Amino acid sequence: MTRFPHLFRPLRIRGCTLKNRIMSTGHDTTLPVDGTVNAELVAYQEARARGGVGLIVLQVSGVHETARYTNHVLMATSDAAIEGYRRVAEAVHRHGTVLFGQLFHPGREIAEADGGLLSVAYAPSSVPNERFRVMPRPLKPAMIASIVQGYGDAARRMQTAGFDGVEIVASHGYLPAQFLNPRVNLRVDAYGGDLDGRLRFLREVIADIRAKVTDGFVVGLRISGSEVDEQGLAENEVLEAVTHLSDTIDYVHITLGTSASLGGAIHIAPPMTFTTAYVVPHAARIKEHVRIPVFVTGRINQPQDAEAAIAGNHADVCGMTRALICDPDMPNKAARGAPEDIRACIACNQACIGHFHKGYPISCIQNPVSGRELRFGTLPQASPRKKVMIVGGGPAGMKAAVIATQRGHSVTLYEAERRLGGQALLAQMLPGRAEFGGLITNLERELELAGVQIHKGRRVDRAMIAAAAPDVVLIATGAKPYRPDFPQEGALQIVDAWQVLRNQGTLGQSVVVIDWRADWIGIGIAEHLAQQGRSVRLAVSGTAAGESLPLYVRDHSAASLHKLGVQVLPYMRLYGSDTDSVYLQHVSGGEAVVIEKVDALVLCTGHTPVDELSDTIEDLAIDIRIIGDAASPRTAEEAVYEGLSVAAEI
Ligand SMILES: Cc1cc2nc3c(=O)[nH]c(=O)nc-3n(C[C@H](O)[C@H](O)[C@H](O)COP(=O)(O)O)c2cc1C
Ligand code: SF4
């Protein structure tokens, strides 16, 4: 008897049957390079299908030349797209997974310039968006007709390629949602005005698709249950629209948020500060009013949550997208009753949507194989098998130990502390970052499953290495706080971020936090101190607090800092301090900024590698590799990646 009976109950929708209720939703992988499906995308999607997911919705495909919202978006505007679609359909179907395509037009939500030149954006009316600062041109009726036909033509191409259905993207404030929204659609012709007028675009799109595909082909609609934005679609408006359309579509897929504003966009890929499955009540409200299947997506990262949503009749299918980026085998693990083996997504957003926003191919900080399936998907067994000593049990050393053991090497992992995890142990103590600790829990389970020999509380030195005579030593000894040299007079309390988290030092009421990395640490420490009732100034060397963070994490943190009354001082570097003042300097203008009546200065000034070992063993005939922060302090993403790539190569 499965532990997840509702999740693994098949679902019939029109001409196809989902073998379970787990869905990988449409997500732009940035893997395609020329607007068509390539081998990387096929391998990426096949890995998820092989892992047992019931339904894959392929990433958005533009339905019209004006739909290019990024430089790498897939395009379904010509028959040349069919061949690539066919390859992905064959790969996904090989594993009994159903495949839908996403039909997409961004309207005014044009995010990226092509070759440095922003293209003209089109929308129902000339209403600008806040996030990308786009002023669109109003669509003329002839162009509306051509876009409507683009939807139908794209659906026909997808069906020709073997897809089982399509999903119209009316979510996140994209073109169909712009037509629906009375604050964005100010038209006075047949496409605007009352609900009937504002629904006309979607009705025509659905009719055009239906006219160009066969009867068994699924046509679904993705829409934000609420756009969570003052100018966005409100919950009651969405309910009304969905109720009107429900007799013309096969399912409705509920998510949250809008691309149009910084606050609304956070819900596109909600960070770990949001509770898991928080979108489910929005789907449940819709489900009370419609008879078609309701899909739901947003922070459902474990099968237990998905099972509860379906068992409670709140939804029929659960999107678990980042959960599947992080562990493509999650459905199979759940099906065989081993949820504790799942590498749970921690909603850090760093390598999935974080890469997307930088224009890089998708990956995952915990699962660097994601997006790199062609390189790391199948690792050969090691030959010859080597004796491998790994020094340091942070993310780099842990991942290296797992992979090297899986490849057949004889591996021993040494950690000087009593607990594995390295800096991740501290990172999870920052406000709202507790889930980051999942990185350690997941790696510990991987170590256990691989059967790695681990010695905790053992500091490795040259003598130990010489005596053990390994073939390979991986140095993964991490980093420690970096203290820059700066003029100090008097006895101002100065501590680093690690000391704050360990409750060391007396900080007083007024604190200045120096944030050189503009990442989680400075923000987290500022929040932590403000939550304790202190007056906090956050002096960031970058243009904004959290400048180097994934966008939605940054924007959500900005809201927390604001609520807590933290004063953010951008463009500041530390110049010096005396008994009760901190001296800053504007990084581009050079002017001095003095902050007086300060009780403590907290340094979030980065790290310096810890590697006392490599020089001492250079003369031994051993292959020595330095990985993660011990090589150069960066983030957990590089640490885990280097653990994998070194272990794949030795
Ligand atoms: C890298 C990435 C790209 C995304 N691109 C799209 C997209 O092309 N179309 C879309 O409808 N949603 C897109 N999304 C949103 C996802 O479909 C999904 O709603 C989101 O990841 C939240 O679900 P989750 O918590 O299960 O990950 C994207 C999400 C990620 C992480
Ligand atoms: S990078 Fe972070 S948010 Fe993205 S899939 Fe991996 S764990 Fe989840």
Side-chain angles (χ1 to χ4, degrees):
M1 172 70 178
T2 166
R3 284 172 67 177
F4 306 106
H6 298 86
L7 198 54
F8 287 94
R9 204 176 56 212
L11 178 69
R12 180 94 189 150
I13 302 184
R14 208 170 255 264
C16 61
T17 303
L18 314 190
K19 63 182 172 186
N20 59 50
R21 310 302 185 90
I22 305 173
M23 159 176 63
S24 171
T25 63
H27 59 287
D28 203 326
T29 58
T30 327
L31 290 168
V33 287
D34 65 357
T36 61
V37 172
N38 56 7
E40 284 77 7
L41 183 56
V42 174
Y44 174 84
Q45 293 298 3
E46 182 161 14
R48 269 102 208 128
R50 194 183 297 116
V53 67
L55 168 64
I56 288 177
V57 182
L58 193 68
Q59 65 193 79
V60 292
S61 289
V63 297
H64 191 263
E65 270 311 305
T66 52
R68 294 179 185 275
Y69 82 133
T70 65
N71 295 331
H72 43 77
V73 62
L74 276 184
M75 294 299 282
T77 44
S78 112
D79 286 353
I82 295 173
E83 186 40 40
Y85 287 145
R86 196 188 308 280
R87 275 185 278 124
V88 81
E90 283 169 4
V92 164
H93 285 158
R94 254 198 294 283
H95 304 277
T97 299
V98 168
L99 179 68
F100 296 167
Q102 260 196 340
L103 303 182
F104 178 71
H105 195 297
R108 62 181 181 166
E109 299 304 317
I110 302 285
E112 244 173 46
D114 188 12
L117 303 170
L118 259 188
S119 48
V120 177
Y122 292 89
S125 308
S126 283
V127 177
N129 84 354
E130 181 185 87
R131 180 161 167 234
F132 301 126
R133 305 177 192 94
V134 167
M135 175 58 87
R137 271 185 83 76
L139 283 159
K140 296 248 166 71
M143 201 190 264
I144 295 179
S146 135
I147 292 173
V148 167
Q149 284 169 27
Y151 279 89
D153 292 343
R156 175 186 54 78
R157 291 183 181 113
M158 289 175 179
Q159 184 170 41
T160 306
F163 284 36
D164 306 288
V166 287
E167 181 176 273
I168 301 161
V169 182
S171 56
H172 302 130
Y174 295 122
L175 184 62
Q178 290 161 34
F179 272 101
L180 275 178
N181 186 335
R183 291 159 296 283
V184 177
N185 178 354
L186 309 179
R187 300 179 77 96
V188 290
D189 64 6
Y191 292 95
D194 62 7
L195 180 64
D196 213 36
R198 286 180 280 114
L199 272 173
R200 185 185 175 110
F201 176 76
L202 262 173
R203 285 199 196 284
E204 289 184 359
V205 163
I206 295 165
D208 197 74
I209 296 170
R210 291 270 189 228
K212 290 172 180 165
V213 298
T214 59
D215 199 42
F217 198 66
V218 174
V219 180
L221 181 79
R222 187 173 208 202
I223 193 160
S224 298
S226 153
E227 291 187 349
V228 203
D229 179 58
E230 274 184 25
Q231 297 302 310
L233 286 169
E235 191 126 28
N236 60 331
E237 291 173 319
V238 175
L239 177 62
E240 210 181 1
V242 169
T243 319
H244 276 76
L245 290 172
S246 67
D247 56 344
T248 61
I249 50 177
D250 299 315
Y251 71 88
V252 61
H253 175 184
I254 300 300
T255 181
L256 281 188
T258 174
S259 162
S261 69
L262 292 173
I266 294 170
H267 300 275
I268 295 177
M272 65 178 80
T273 29
F274 289 86
T275 45
T276 54
Y278 77 112
V279 187
V280 170
H282 297 270
R285 227 157 286 144
I286 299 275
K287 194 161 165 58
E288 281 169 19
H289 293 85
V290 297
R291 292 152 66 106
I292 50 174
V294 173
F295 298 6
V296 63
T297 299
R299 271 288 266 150
I300 304 175
N301 73 336
Q302 289 279 24
Q304 291 87 333
D305 285 336
E307 172 71 16
I310 295 164
N313 202 29
H314 306 312
D316 300 284
V317 171
C318 287
M320 301 182 73
T321 301
R322 286 170 295 171
L324 287 155
I325 298 172
C326 190
D327 192 345
D329 296 322
M330 177 269 289
N332 283 344
K333 291 176 181 174
R336 68 166 190 259
E340 58 284 353
D341 293 353
I342 293 168
R343 187 191 304 112
C345 165
I346 55 174
C348 67
N349 276 3
Q350 191 172 338
C352 49
I353 198 114
H355 278 204
F356 168 79
H357 285 134
K358 291 179 179 165
Y360 299 134
I362 195 163
S363 196
C364 170
I365 70 161
Q366 300 193 72
N367 180 25
V369 179
S370 264
R372 302 183 180 103
E373 283 76 10
L374 293 179
R375 184 168 160 210
F376 294 122
T378 332
L379 293 177
Q381 281 298 292
S383 174
R385 294 181 171 195
K386 295 177 183 169
K387 184 171 180 182
V388 181
M389 213 169 154
I390 301 180
V391 188
M398 292 167 92
K399 190 69 182 182
V402 170
I403 304 297
T405 307
Q406 285 172 346
R407 291 192 56 225
H409 291 304
S410 164
V411 177
T412 315
L413 173 65
Y414 294 88
E415 166 55 45
E417 302 295 328
R418 298 236 155 261
R419 285 179 68 191
L420 296 173
Q423 282 177 64
L425 291 169
L426 282 171
Q428 66 180 345
M429 293 165 71
L430 291 167
R433 302 282 296 170
E435 207 166 333
F436 198 78
L439 171 67
I440 311 169
T441 322
N442 290 333
L443 279 167
E444 280 177 330
R445 182 68 183 149
E446 288 186 44
L447 286 166
E448 195 182 329
L449 291 171
V452 178
Q453 246 191 74
I454 304 168
H455 297 286
K456 295 183 208 168
R458 289 276 292 279
R459 193 167 290 279
V460 173
D461 58 17
R462 176 189 156 89
M464 265 174 77
I465 295 175
D471 301 300
V472 183
V473 171
L474 300 185
I475 296 185
T477 38
K480 61 185 181 195
Y482 170 69
R483 282 222 173 192
D485 199 18
F486 60 94
Q488 297 169 40
E489 275 179 25
L492 181 67
Q493 173 77 262
I494 301 177
V495 292
D496 61 48
W498 291 23
Q499 289 172 307
V500 172
L501 291 174
R502 289 172 174 148
N503 275 328
Q504 295 164 347
T506 313
L507 298 184
Q509 177 58 26
S510 168
V511 183
V512 174
V513 178
I514 301 294
D515 181 5
W516 170 71
R517 287 197 355 172
D519 66 357
W520 307 268
I521 302 174
I523 285 181
I525 292 291
E527 274 190 50
H528 174 71
L529 296 173
Q531 281 169 356
Q532 293 172 339
R534 299 178 212 272
S535 151
V536 181
R537 271 163 285 200
L538 178 63
V540 190
S541 67
T543 60
E547 184 183 31
S548 52
L549 291 180
L551 301 187
Y552 306 148
V553 179
R554 177 200 68 188
D555 297 337
H556 203 233
S557 300
S560 308
L561 291 176
H562 188 254
K563 272 184 210 133
L564 286 163
V566 172
Q567 188 189 351
V568 179
L569 306 166
Y571 290 99
M572 289 294 145
R573 72 163 69 99
L574 177 61
Y575 191 83
S577 67
D578 63 22
T579 316
D580 60 1
S581 299
V582 171
Y583 299 89
L584 304 172
Q585 186 181 34
H586 194 277
V587 293
S588 50
E591 293 87 0
V593 174
V594 184
I595 304 185
E596 293 172 328
K597 297 187 181 148
V598 177
D599 298 316
L601 175 62
V602 179
L603 301 176
C604 303
T605 42
H607 303 102
T608 185
V610 172
D611 171 23
E612 285 113 26
L613 203 55
S614 58
D615 286 349
T616 70
I617 55 171
E618 245 173 25
D619 59 319
L620 303 176
I622 297 173
D623 181 2
I624 304 167
R625 314 283 182 103
I626 308 173
I627 56 174
D629 276 12
S632 170
R634 287 153 295 159
T635 72
E637 180 180 358
E638 289 83 4
V640 175
Y641 171 80
E642 286 169 11
L644 164 71
S645 57
V646 161
E649 150 191 319
I650 55 176

